[in-house]
Amino acid sequence: MKRAPRIAAIQDLSGFGRCSTTVVLPVLSAMGGQCCPMLTAYLSAHTAFPPSPHSVFLDLSDQMSETAAHWAELGVTFDAIYSGFLGSAGQIAQIEAFYRQFRRADTLVLVDPVMGDHGKPYRTYTPELCRRMEELAAQADVITPNLTEASLLLGEDYASCPGDEAGLRAWLERLSLDGQRSVVLTGVSLHPGVTGAGCFDRESGRISFAMARQEPARFSGTGDLFASVLLGSLLRGEGLADASQRAADFVQHCVAYTLAVGTPLPEGVQFEPLLGELMGPAPSRTDVR
């Protein structure tokens, strides 16, 4: 019997608020993967909550290198390496060392270049960390930036983010580094009432759009949810366009459910009751365009 795909998930852990590891681990597990967390930082609550004198932010850089050394001793191999929120610029070098040690020819490397949202970097992200994130993303097979992160990667003003298909296609091509990596640009919309992602597939050179109904709220952690479903789908053998559509549909369903039950926005989307949807093959659907 073939073993489950094994994923090194290099992410932070937030004690309260659904994001990063508390999203990545259950989603990839539900989709049949073995998720192996390497924690970059511990936060008492994610950064969408206001800072407090009692807020905890623990940089776990030292533990990252020790974890990698132990995994090497155990002879662990990975089918995918998936990184997200980082605690400091120095962690970039550790992830690059991890690539040299564990990346094989068939290892899928996904970098979610978590740096900011709503046009601004997160408060823990320094200019140096953003610059080094760009260097890390250049080594990925797939990146999943939102529009804020895309503008940072491209050195563009957020106010210049494209709002039409031609502009989005141009940004996707630039973000692909001349076709070297696949790109899934999240948080885009082709017309009112829908939202989703623009996709550049490096295998085919094709650009596609994965759209779903836009719900009347924005929750923290939806980028982590999207990227995790995307990666789980890719590891099942789905193409980039289909994997992106599946991720867009699942996020929309989770947001709609969360609004229906009245969960406060900072707590993130209630995806847990809907994980069963990810356990089988991709559902048939009518495309939203």
Side-chain angles (χ1 to χ4, degrees), residues 234-262:
L234 292 174
L235 290 172
R236 285 178 170 179
E238 295 181 32
L240 188 73
D242 288 341
S244 298
Q245 188 63 65
R246 181 165 191 174
D249 288 340
F250 187 71
V251 170
Q252 180 273 323
H253 192 181
C254 291
V255 172
Y257 176 85
T258 304
L259 288 172
V261 298

Side-chain angles (χ1 to χ4, degrees), residues 125-272:
Y125 267 63
T126 64
E128 181 189 5
L129 180 49
C130 291
R131 178 183 59 80
R132 293 286 281 127
M133 181 67 84
E134 180 181 351
E135 296 173 3
L136 182 68
Q139 302 174 59
D141 298 307
V142 186
I143 62 170
T144 58
N146 60 31
L147 285 169
T148 298
E149 292 150 358
S151 67
L152 290 168
L153 290 173
L154 294 174
E156 297 282 358
D157 192 313
Y158 178 73
S160 69
C161 287
D164 61 354
E165 183 171 337
L168 290 169
R169 285 178 174 271
W171 270 35
L172 285 164
E173 289 174 356
R174 289 175 61 192
L175 287 164
S176 77
L177 301 180
D178 295 324
Q180 295 180 47
R181 62 187 179 192
S182 293
V183 179
V184 181
L185 176 58
T186 63
V188 308
S189 179
L190 295 180
H191 55 80
V194 299
T195 188
C199 313
F200 176 91
D201 189 340
R202 72 173 183 179
E203 299 299 326
S204 64
R206 294 178 181 173
I207 290 175
S208 60
F209 293 89
M211 295 288 115
R213 186 176 70 246
Q214 186 169 21
E215 300 296 336
R218 297 190 66 174
F219 286 88
S220 298
T222 51
D224 299 318
L225 185 60
F226 184 101
S228 299
V229 176
L230 175 81
L231 178 58
S233 299
L234 292 174
L235 290 172
R236 285 178 170 179
E238 295 181 32
L240 188 73
D242 288 341
S244 298
Q245 188 63 65
R246 181 165 191 174
D249 288 340
F250 187 71
V251 170
Q252 180 273 323
H253 192 181
C254 291
V255 172
Y257 176 85
T258 304
L259 288 172
V261 298
T263 302
L265 298 185
E267 293 185 19
V269 292
Q270 281 204 53
F271 64 90
E272 298 92 345

